């Protein structure tokens, strides 16, 4: 089986604008995971498509240093465009190299997801798309249709579902009676505003970018038990504008939910990309109250602290992605949830897969949140 990755940014390669990322993903997640899956015999060939062919020599050098020399893993791939041209349509050429049943993994700015996913599925290919899968319910429903017509899987990459604590919490919440209150917070440091300057505020916003994670978790926890009926959004600004980015600093979505029993619940989802440099790259936590219990998770702090001369105090989370090799120097990240969410898509396993059919509510809430900000009014949902 072949797999094509579209996009050569931070999550795929660890490179941002041609420099090593300062985030917690030094050599990225997606390409490294696929190289390991190929080594394990679960994939035959890897293709990577970007918009700028000039980046590939640097990407190969970066992979050679941080993957092949470090773990002894083959990091070769076929690139599109395969010369030094700038070609934003190169992904279409790459698609022609695949056969029905092969896989496409899309990690490009949010406004490109729909077209790339639709074209891939139309060719009989299985598709995994970075969150948020698409930006509107209309696009979401068109993807459901093409997935059904072509009998392929379209899913969104929401790795929190593979975190052992989030997966456990989901099942426990479903045993705790009606939902009552949920509050999540997730942030990225200010430096990411520069990393994402190409699309921040134009192709997407911080709610689409980060609220998706906990929204997906909450919709998954309440699947078949409750439905969202109204979205009211609020935002803060000032920091992004001060560096000439016309986008919000933080966005909060307040969602009214109705449990199947008829009782009401509230969900509040906040995300920000102006956090200061701290002991973690990204703060991420939630609290949930149900009629028969409550729980909270601080996903950023796993009871593991270290400090080094070069980086100062840190709170690492190798449950997300383990870069430290095993005692023989081999890659040892196979049990990380960032790895498993991609591996389960490639192998066709995983009951947690966030399929296009099961994720309508998340897209509806994100779209309504944007509309609420733009109109200054609450938006009713009819799901
Ligand atoms: N960075 C993260 O931690 C992270 C985590 C999970 C999901 N994501 C999601 O991944 C997606 C991309 O994020 P990123 O952080 O990698 O962003 P990024 O800005 O670092 O990279 C985006 C990439 O898309 C490429 N691209 C743009 N137009 C293209 C085209 N026409 N053809 C092929 N490639 C094209 C760009 O060249 C760039 O390499 C977003 O949807 C984001 O929400 C990011």
């Amino acid at each position: 089986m072949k797999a094509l990755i579209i996009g050569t940014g931070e999550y795929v390669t660890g490179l941002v604008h041609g420099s090593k990322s300062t985030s917690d993903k030094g050599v990225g997640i997606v390409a490294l995971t696929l190289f390991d899956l190929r080594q394990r015999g679960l994939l035959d060939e890897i293709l990577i498509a970007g918009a700028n062919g000039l980046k590939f020599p640097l990407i190969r050098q970066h992979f050679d240093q941080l993957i092949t020399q470090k773990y002894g893993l083959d990091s070769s791939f076929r690139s599109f465009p395969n010369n030094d041209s700038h070609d934003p349509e190169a992904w279409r050429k790459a698609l022609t190299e695949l056969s029905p049943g092969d896989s496409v993994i899309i990690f490009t700015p949010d406004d490109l997801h729909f077209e790339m996913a639709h074209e891939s599925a139309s060719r009989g290919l299985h598709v995994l798309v970075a969150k948020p899968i698409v930006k509107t319910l209309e696009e979401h429903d068109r993807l459901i249709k093409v997935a059904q017509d072509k009998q392929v899987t379209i899913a969104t990459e929401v790795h929190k579902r593979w975190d052992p604590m989030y997966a456990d919490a989901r099942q426990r919440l479903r045993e705790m009676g009606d939902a009552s209150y949920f509050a999540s917070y997730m942030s990225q440091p200010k430096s990411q505003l520069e990393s994402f300057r190409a699309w921040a505020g134009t192709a997407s916003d911080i709610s689409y970018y980060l609220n998706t994670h906990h929204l997906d978790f909450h919709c998954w926890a309440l699947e078949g038990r409750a439905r969202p009926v109204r979205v009211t959004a609020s935002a803060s600004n000032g920091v992004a504008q001060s560096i000439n980015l016309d986008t919000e600093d933080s966005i909060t979505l307040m969602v009214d939910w109705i449990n199947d029993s008829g009782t009401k619940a509230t969900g509040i989802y906040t995300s920000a990309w102006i956090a200061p440099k701290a002991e973690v790259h990204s703060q991420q936590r939630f609290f949930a109250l149900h009629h028969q219990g409550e729980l909270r998770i601080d996903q950023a702090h796993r009871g593991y602290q270290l400090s080094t001369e070069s980086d100062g105090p840190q709170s690492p989370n190798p449950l997300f992605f383990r870069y430290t090799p095993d005692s023989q120097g081999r890659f040892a990240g196979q049990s990380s949830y960032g790895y498993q969410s991609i591996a389960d898509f490639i192998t066709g396993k995983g009951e947690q897969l966030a399929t296009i059919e099961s994720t309508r509510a998340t897209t509806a809430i994100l779209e309504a949140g944007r509309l609420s900000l733009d109109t200054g009014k609450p938006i009713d949902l009819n799901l």
Side-chain angles (χ1 to χ4, degrees):
M1 186 174 78
K2 290 182 191 164
L4 164 68
I5 306 170
I6 309 180
T8 58
E10 183 179 50
Y11 208 69
V12 173
T13 64
L15 290 168
V16 177
H17 306 320
S19 306
K20 191 168 177 289
S21 160
T22 52
S23 78
D24 52 351
K25 310 173 191 78
V27 70
I29 306 290
V30 184
L32 172 55
T33 298
L34 293 198
F35 295 144
D36 188 66
L37 290 171
R38 180 175 58 189
Q39 180 106 336
R40 292 170 57 198
L42 296 164
L43 260 183
D44 299 317
E45 203 185 340
I46 297 168
L47 291 67
I48 303 183
N52 182 358
L54 284 169
K55 277 194 194 166
F56 284 116
L58 176 71
I59 292 170
R60 289 198 164 88
Q61 187 192 14
H62 182 65
F63 284 170
D64 182 60
Q65 188 191 347
L66 293 176
I67 296 178
T68 301
Q69 290 182 41
K70 182 169 177 185
Y71 306 114
L73 260 183
D74 175 10
S75 61
S76 62
F77 62 90
R78 282 173 67 200
S79 54
F80 297 81
N82 64 1
N83 53 31
D84 57 6
S85 65
H86 183 85
D87 181 5
E89 300 291 305
W91 61 275
R92 293 184 194 277
K93 168 97 176 34
L95 285 183
T96 66
E97 302 283 325
L98 304 183
S99 311
D102 286 341
S103 297
V104 181
I105 300 182
I106 299 169
F107 272 80
T108 54
D110 301 348
D111 59 335
L112 299 176
H113 292 177
F114 171 73
E115 189 185 5
M116 291 173 167
H118 195 276
E119 179 64 25
S120 303
S122 302
R123 292 172 167 271
L125 304 164
H126 301 297
V127 193
L128 183 68
V129 189
K131 54 74 198 165
I133 191 156
V134 285
K135 292 176 66 186
T136 66
L137 207 49
E138 192 217 327
E139 292 173 340
H140 199 107
D141 288 342
R142 287 178 63 191
L143 289 188
I144 291 178
K145 179 151 188 341
V146 71
Q148 286 168 353
D149 287 350
K150 296 291 173 177
Q151 294 289 296
V152 295
T153 298
I154 302 181
T156 177
E157 200 281 320
V158 274
H159 44 258
K160 286 189 187 324
R161 291 187 180 206
W162 278 258
D163 178 340
M165 288 182 197
Y166 273 59
D168 185 79
R170 190 249 181 188
Q171 293 310 115
R172 286 183 194 268
L173 286 173
R174 292 175 74 78
E175 303 300 319
M176 286 186 191
D178 279 3
S180 180
Y181 173 74
F182 182 96
S184 63
Y185 177 74
M186 187 156 176
S187 68
Q188 297 258 304
K190 279 191 186 78
S191 54
Q192 291 293 83
L193 281 172
E194 284 301 339
S195 305
F196 301 144
R197 180 175 276 282
W199 52 262
T202 49
S204 194
D205 61 33
I206 187 56
S207 181
Y208 275 116
Y209 188 68
L210 280 190
N211 274 334
T212 339
H213 277 300
H214 284 98
L215 263 175
D216 174 74
F217 173 77
H218 200 211
C219 291
W220 185 45
L222 300 185
E223 192 174 31
R225 306 278 169 92
R227 65 192 166 85
V229 292
R230 176 175 272 215
V231 180
T232 312
S234 171
S236 65
N237 67 5
V239 175
Q241 283 175 343
S242 73
I243 56 166
N244 294 322
L245 271 174
D246 186 18
T247 191
E248 296 86 359
D249 294 347
S250 76
I251 296 178
T252 297
L253 306 181
M254 188 178 82
V255 180
D256 297 340
W257 287 82
I258 303 278
N259 291 298
D260 284 355
S261 67
T263 62
K264 295 201 280 189
T266 305
I268 297 180
Y269 317 87
T270 298
S271 54
W273 45 13
I274 61 156
K277 198 168 163 46
E279 76 293 355
V280 292
H281 175 72
S282 175
Q283 302 287 350
Q284 29 203 316
R285 53 183 178 262
F286 76 82
F287 169 78
L289 172 70
H290 280 221
H291 287 199
Q292 305 299 329
E294 66 178 35
L295 61 81
R296 72 185 67 85
I297 299 181
D298 180 349
Q299 200 187 33
H301 301 92
R302 294 313 180 79
Y304 183 25
Q305 283 118 33
L306 66 88
S307 189
T308 61
E309 292 293 351
S310 53
D311 295 321
Q314 297 151 63
S315 180
N317 179 9
L319 294 178
F320 167 54
F321 210 84
R322 176 175 164 176
Y323 288 105
T324 50
D326 69 9
S327 59
Q328 309 296 311
R330 293 172 301 214
F331 175 70
Q334 293 86 357
S335 58
S336 315
Y337 55 85
Y339 180 103
Q340 287 179 343
S341 94
I342 294 168
D344 279 4
F345 165 74
I346 293 288
T347 57
K349 293 192 197 130
E351 49 148 22
Q352 299 104 315
L353 215 57
T355 60
I356 190 77
E357 292 83 1
S358 64
T359 49
R360 275 187 102 236
T362 306
T363 299
I365 293 170
L366 287 168
E367 181 185 16
R370 187 65 253 171
L371 207 56
S372 174
L373 283 178
D374 292 342
T375 60
K377 294 179 182 154
I379 305 294
D380 290 330
L381 299 177
N382 187 16
L383 296 177

